[in-house]
Amino acid sequence: MRRLGIGVVGLVLVVVGGLGGTGSAAAATGAGTGAAAATGGGGAATGGPGDACVVDPAVPKRQFRAMWISSVVNIDWPSAGSRTAPDRIAAQQAEYRGWLDLAQRLHHNAVVVQVRPTADAFWPSPYEPWSEYLTGVRGQDPGWDPLAFLVAESHLRNLEFHAWFNPYRISMPAPGGAGADLGQLAPDHPARQHPEWTFAYPPAGVAGSRLYYDPGVPQVREFVQTAILDAVRRYDLDGVHFDDYFYPYPSGTYQVPDDATFAAYHRGFTDRAAWRRDNIDLLIQEMGGRIKAVKPWVRFGVSPFGIWRNASADPDGSDTTGSQSYDIISADTRRWVKQEWIDYVVPQLYWYIGQYPAADYARLVPWWAQTVRGTRVQLYIGQADYKSGDPAYGTYWMNPQELSDHLTLNRAYPEVLGNVHFSAVQVRADRLGATSRYAAAHYSRPALVPTMAHLPAKPLLRPVLTRAERTADGVRLRWRQPAGGKGPLADATSYAVYRFDGSGPVDGSGPVDGCGRADAAHLLGTVRATPGQQQSWVDGTAEPGRAYTYQVTALDRSWNESAASSARVVR
């Protein structure tokens, strides 16, 4: 993840309700939840036919919320401290659970975890060596399967797990990393076996030099995809995630040393810049296709540098003057969206709102919103939590309200369906109280992950809520999923639990007419399904002596929502 250096918008949407809660086939598949709700936009109605539901944009029903958990140079996880502990495995596992605790406290619904930081692996890969960031030694077996643990623990909390892979980076600069020296890599590293696949940039001997796989070598493109697909096949990933490192970011006047590669593999191109972009286009197009061929439900997302091109260079570009990913790293990110080669895009909009001609956040959000408009690609925004409270980034970032203002501005653009925060240690640091501010203003309630209509789905039956009873620790709910996974029906991956004050509809917004489920005001949370078993969950926030009405809905692995169960009242 590359680190480069408003007034409140209030929106209340009044939307004509669909068929949610009516028991129809549309409701059973989630089609009746309203277009905006299904895609995460600003909240939407789920009332009965003809009903209009007023929703609160501060508590959207669907919104992607995550933080990046970086492993490279032990930025976030595993930390250097846990890496060297005598009981290293237990310490690393406890540390990761701590990150999940933070995600839950902030009402996130996903984590984006780096599992291939430098052409290595956080799982027993048959293609690449173990990552040095697990043990401190390149290629050393850590004695366990971290990726299996990461996925399982995330799913226990019903957090989506997006595995973050860096496609081409082989090493980090010396002295901490291998630099440009192939001999410093793990003994069985593929780069040592195929030095012709690699180049050093900047050149060896120059400060900051490191090794990369050459994107112009066809065998490299095939190998990178195959290494990543091994994880897709073997683990229950929810997403495959790339960051912004494709061709190297320019360093001084040094040129990428790919003369021989261009001569050998030009494919008829005479313009090397166009050829380089095509190399990356092929990686993105082929990677997306191969993921869907293996597991059609796995989402493929990219987090590019925030500027595609400036309007001065291209009429389709943004009103900016900063570096352009199209030119400097050969990443035609706009094309990937328009061709729908990816499922979601997370531009790194690591700039403030204000008079900043190079890259004003308030100019880039509408550009990206317009870019995804009319496509099936979902837009989440990459947020620079690492800049907040750091005087090195200027006075704007010393405003504790800056990040919260970003999320407020996003509400004006229904295409913005969520945020990803860089990175976990900065989110936890909460400098200036900035994390607490945006969490209180924008993440005060849980949210479901936005659905994607092009992913495979089957009808979901509504759950049967069999019991709601007071216990010493709150209200215990029990329910079952009828005929889950049988015949043409989907099995529930998780469930959403809703609670309403009182013992019935209140002012037309209660559980019966469905408007109470149009936003997240009454969403208590989600819980992972236990297949083949009766589900049980305790509402520990229920107050003694107060009457509540509960409903439960089923969610498939793509977060399509069933009609709601019948209501149960506790007095």
Side-chain angles (χ1 to χ4, degrees):
M1 198 59 51
R2 186 168 176 81
R3 298 182 174 189
L4 296 173
I6 192 165
V8 173
V9 177
L11 294 177
V12 176
L13 304 182
V14 181
V15 186
V16 176
L19 300 173
T22 65
S24 68
T29 61
T33 59
T39 60
T46 56
D51 291 342
C53 300
V54 178
V55 299
D56 184 351
V59 288
K61 180 169 180 173
R62 293 186 182 270
Q63 187 178 58
F64 191 83
R65 301 173 185 167
M67 57 187 170
W68 280 291
I69 301 179
S70 304
S71 62
V72 68
V73 300
N74 301 106
I75 292 175
D76 297 316
W77 184 89
S79 71
S82 68
R83 183 183 68 193
T84 58
D87 53 343
R88 174 173 43 81
I89 296 174
Q92 289 180 353
Q93 291 180 349
E95 185 179 44
Y96 185 71
R97 291 189 182 103
W99 290 124
L100 300 185
D101 291 342
L102 175 63
Q104 286 190 300
R105 287 198 299 273
L106 295 175
H107 289 145
H108 287 189
N109 47 35
V111 288
V112 183
V113 184
Q114 194 172 32
V115 299
R116 185 183 183 267
T118 53
D120 50 12
F122 272 53
W123 71 98
S125 168
Y127 302 101
E128 296 183 301
W130 282 105
S131 176
E132 66 184 282
Y133 303 117
L134 291 165
T135 63
V137 179
R138 296 177 193 118
Q140 179 174 301
D141 188 333
W144 62 305
D145 186 341
L147 183 52
F149 171 83
L150 298 174
V151 174
E153 287 294 314
S154 302
H155 285 170
L156 280 175
R157 317 290 187 101
N158 205 33
L159 295 166
E160 281 204 332
F161 186 89
H162 290 236
W164 167 14
F165 304 87
N166 187 286
Y168 295 120
R169 183 173 60 203
I170 297 174
S171 66
M172 296 298 287
D181 188 353
L182 284 164
Q184 294 297 312
L185 300 176
D188 60 345
H189 200 293
R192 296 182 69 167
Q193 301 167 16
H194 297 280
E196 72 279 8
W197 288 1
T198 73
F199 60 70
Y201 186 85
V206 175
S209 180
R210 66 185 79 186
L211 293 166
Y212 295 88
Y213 281 127
D214 188 337
V217 176
Q219 295 92 332
V220 163
R221 193 170 71 249
E222 167 67 23
F223 173 78
V224 166
Q225 293 174 25
T226 299
I228 293 170
L229 282 167
D230 179 64
V232 176
R233 288 191 176 94
R234 294 169 57 189
Y235 300 90
D236 189 17
L237 308 181
D238 299 294
V240 169
H241 185 93
F242 284 0
D243 55 23
D244 57 317
Y245 287 102
F246 298 103
Y247 274 89
Y249 279 91
S251 178
T253 59
Y254 298 111
Q255 301 299 307
V256 172
D258 60 358
D259 289 353
T261 308
F262 183 52
Y265 304 113
H266 57 75
R267 298 190 302 280
F269 280 91
T270 57
D271 181 339
R272 191 179 309 197
W275 169 75
R276 286 177 179 167
R277 283 191 294 274
D278 191 60
N279 292 332
I280 307 303
D281 286 351
L282 288 171
L283 171 75
I284 299 299
Q285 182 181 18
E286 293 171 0
M287 189 78 253
R290 292 182 71 178
I291 291 168
K292 291 296 189 286
V294 173
K295 291 183 177 177
W297 57 87
V298 173
R299 305 169 188 228
F300 180 36
V302 179
S303 176
F305 181 73
I307 299 174
W308 170 69
R309 298 200 89 187
N310 300 313
S312 59
D314 190 306
D316 290 325
S318 52
D319 184 16
T320 50
T321 61
S323 298
Q324 306 169 112
S325 66
Y326 180 93
D327 300 284
I328 66 170
I329 57 173
S330 306
D332 191 353
T333 54
R334 182 176 182 273
R335 187 178 189 210
W336 307 344
V337 172
K338 295 301 185 182
Q339 294 295 323
E340 299 181 337
W341 292 338
I342 56 179
D343 297 304
Y344 67 86
V345 65
V346 193
Q348 297 171 36
L349 302 191
Y350 293 171
W351 302 288
Y352 56 78
I353 298 170
Q355 298 303 311
Y356 184 46
D360 185 342
Y361 185 91
R363 297 180 184 182
L364 280 161
V365 168
W367 185 88
W368 280 101
Q370 189 278 328
T371 297
V372 302
R373 194 171 299 145
T375 76
R376 69 187 190 189
V377 178
Q378 294 189 349
L379 172 61
Y380 319 139
I381 304 298
Q383 300 292 344
D385 289 50
Y386 73 93
K387 288 187 174 181
S388 182
D390 188 337
Y393 295 108
T395 57
Y396 279 89
W397 290 104
M398 298 306 293
N399 174 9
Q401 189 66 23
E402 179 68 27
L403 286 171
S404 187
D405 286 348
H406 289 198
L407 274 57
T408 300
L409 185 149
N410 291 354
R411 292 181 190 170
Y413 300 93
E415 294 84 4
V416 179
L417 303 181
N419 299 277
V420 185
H421 299 267
F422 187 81
S423 68
V425 292
Q426 311 296 341
V427 172
R428 183 178 63 188
D430 194 15
R431 287 192 298 270
L432 306 178
T435 301
S436 297
R437 280 178 180 251
Y438 71 66
H442 302 280
Y443 300 164
S444 64
R445 303 295 302 170
L448 309 183
V449 172
T451 59
M452 293 183 176
H454 64 279
L455 299 184
K458 295 179 179 180
L460 271 169
L461 291 182
R462 68 175 77 206
V464 177
L465 183 55
T466 57
R467 178 173 290 186
E469 59 184 353
R470 289 199 178 272
T471 63
D473 50 357
V475 173
R476 178 170 294 277
L477 307 178
R478 299 183 190 275
W479 66 89
R480 60 183 175 85
Q481 185 67 20
K486 299 295 193 302
L489 301 174
D491 205 357
T493 301
S494 60
Y495 298 91
V497 180
Y498 297 87
R499 187 185 73 189
F500 305 86
D501 291 335
S503 57
V506 179
D507 298 329
S509 61
V512 176
D513 65 14
C515 280
R517 298 186 305 277
D519 58 24
H522 300 286
L523 177 63
L524 285 184
T526 66
V527 57
R528 201 73 174 180
T530 51
Q533 301 180 30
Q534 179 174 255
Q535 313 297 310
S536 178
W537 185 78
V538 174
D539 173 13
T541 65
E543 298 178 16
R546 292 191 63 179
Y548 297 110
T549 300
Y550 291 91
Q551 286 187 300
V552 178
T553 61
L555 302 162
D556 67 11
R557 67 170 309 125
S558 296
W559 298 80
N560 297 298
E561 187 175 34
S562 75
S565 69
S566 297
R568 287 272 176 175
V569 176
V570 172
R571 294 182 172 84

